Amino acid sequence: MNLKNIHKIEFVNETVIEIQKDETILQASLAAGIPHFHVCGGNAKCSTCRVIIHEGASHLSQPNKAEQKLKQQKNFGGNVRLACQTKVLTGDVKIQRIIKDITDLDIYVYGKESDFVQSIGDEK
Ligand code: FES
């Protein structure tokens, strides 16, 4: 095993895992047991795997055409990447999953933020 081909991913407030150069972040994340959302199966169609890059952006693969297209459609900032399309090539990175549960899915993917905020204020 060539150690130059293995890097670390720190998931903010979660864990640190290792990733091989030929794996996507999503593949490494799932292999490590992280319940990483990937509704479209890793095909750059859903954006549920998206992550924020906190450190080490220059160590990542460049966005491919499929990722560029989805990022444009969703108007993602430059520090947001699709875990299913992104590889860690040259060094360690620090990232954060955005969608961690069903509530996040509703807010960030289905745009139900106003419903969610309203429900917090409702007295039962
Ligand atoms: S898993 Fe759907 S875009 Fe990455």
Side-chain angles (χ1 to χ4, degrees), residues 26 37-49 70 82-84:
L26 179 65
F37 271 86
H38 57 291
V39 170
C40 73
N43 292 306
K45 301 280 185 205
C46 69
S47 82
T48 56
C49 67
L70 193 58
L82 296 181
C84 69

Side-chain angles (χ1 to χ4, degrees), residues 44 62-76 81-82 85:
Q62 290 297 308
N64 60 24
K65 283 192 173 151
E67 181 175 4
Q68 286 175 10
K69 184 177 171 191
L70 193 58
K71 282 179 66 143
Q72 228 168 11
Q73 284 173 352
K74 300 279 187 182
N75 203 21
F76 289 161
R81 298 291 307 268
L82 296 181
Q85 303 299 308

Side-chain angles (χ1 to χ4, degrees), residues 2-120:
N2 185 346
L3 292 179
K4 285 184 182 171
N5 292 332
I6 298 177
H7 300 290
K8 286 189 173 25
I9 301 175
E10 178 182 344
F11 284 86
V12 173
N13 296 327
E14 292 193 87
T15 188
V16 177
I17 67 168
E18 290 188 337
I19 183 169
Q20 296 189 39
K21 221 173 178 176
D22 60 348
E23 289 181 301
T24 65
I25 291 173
L26 179 65
Q27 289 169 329
S29 177
L30 293 174
I34 295 171
H36 204 132
F37 271 86
H38 57 291
V39 170
C40 73
N43 292 306
K45 301 280 185 205
C46 69
S47 82
T48 56
C49 67
R50 72 184 85 159
V51 292
I52 297 172
I53 310 302
H54 287 274
E55 292 175 13
S58 63
H59 300 309
L60 301 174
S61 59
Q62 290 297 308
N64 60 24
K65 283 192 173 151
E67 181 175 4
Q68 286 175 10
K69 184 177 171 191
L70 193 58
K71 282 179 66 143
Q72 228 168 11
Q73 284 173 352
K74 300 279 187 182
N75 203 21
F76 289 161
N79 64 340
V80 175
R81 298 291 307 268
L82 296 181
C84 69
Q85 303 299 308
T86 306
K87 295 179 179 180
V88 180
L89 302 177
T90 55
D92 300 344
V93 296
K94 185 174 180 179
I95 68 176
Q96 181 177 0
R97 287 191 301 141
I98 299 174
I99 298 164
K100 294 182 182 173
D101 56 32
I102 296 298
T103 301
D104 292 340
L105 196 62
D106 280 346
I107 293 171
Y108 295 109
V109 177
Y110 302 123
K112 296 180 181 172
E113 187 170 9
S114 56
D115 294 347
F116 175 71
V117 171
Q118 181 64 43
S119 70
I120 290 174

